[in-house]
Amino acid sequence: MPESSLPVLTVHVRAVPEAVVVAAEGDLDLGSAPVLRARAEAALESRPAALVLDLGGVGFCGSAGLQVVAELVAATEAAGVPFALVTDRRAVLRALRLTRLDTTLALHPTLTGARAWLRERA
């Protein structure tokens, strides 16, 4: 398979005072979703005060990416960990709304907004 056809998704994990932030950039599809799943699950295993999934850098979100989001909603709920999703990207928002996932999580257009929401919950 030529390198240009490989899925490209970069995932960074960092801690902020309110949460662990898992930030993804690129396309979130069948080929790249396992990367996000593994990094987010590892972050959740550390028992953070909260988990923020930042998809502000994601240009495409396919059904496999939506599955990861749904899994994180369930996992954070089961663990009692507040969860917020950050994005202002039209393609991601549209997919979340079409699947009604937007009704199951705290959705914020910016990381600053998500962090403020978490501080208000504390």
Side-chain angles (χ1 to χ4, degrees):
M1 181 181 288
E3 186 176 331
S4 62
S5 64
L6 292 175
V8 178
L9 184 75
T10 304
V11 180
H12 299 282
V13 179
R14 68 184 173 107
V16 296
E18 303 84 4
V20 170
V21 178
V22 179
E25 295 181 20
D27 290 341
L28 184 49
D29 56 22
L30 185 62
S32 61
V35 174
L36 180 61
R37 178 181 289 111
R39 297 296 302 272
E41 286 176 351
L44 190 55
E45 285 177 11
S46 71
R47 304 290 299 164
L51 183 68
V52 175
L53 180 60
D54 185 348
L55 299 182
V58 171
F60 171 80
C61 184
S63 60
L66 293 171
Q67 179 64 35
V68 173
V69 172
E71 291 169 5
L72 287 174
V73 168
T76 53
E77 186 174 306
V81 174
F83 177 69
L85 190 142
V86 174
T87 191
D88 63 353
R89 303 296 298 261
R90 176 176 273 174
V92 177
L93 290 169
R94 184 171 188 268
L96 291 170
R97 289 180 181 134
L98 284 172
T99 58
R100 304 200 39 85
L101 272 171
D102 63 325
T103 65
T104 66
L105 52 83
L107 184 59
H108 302 274
T110 65
L111 181 56
T112 300
R115 292 178 66 187
W117 175 77
L118 289 167
R119 284 191 300 273
E120 289 173 7
R121 292 179 49 91

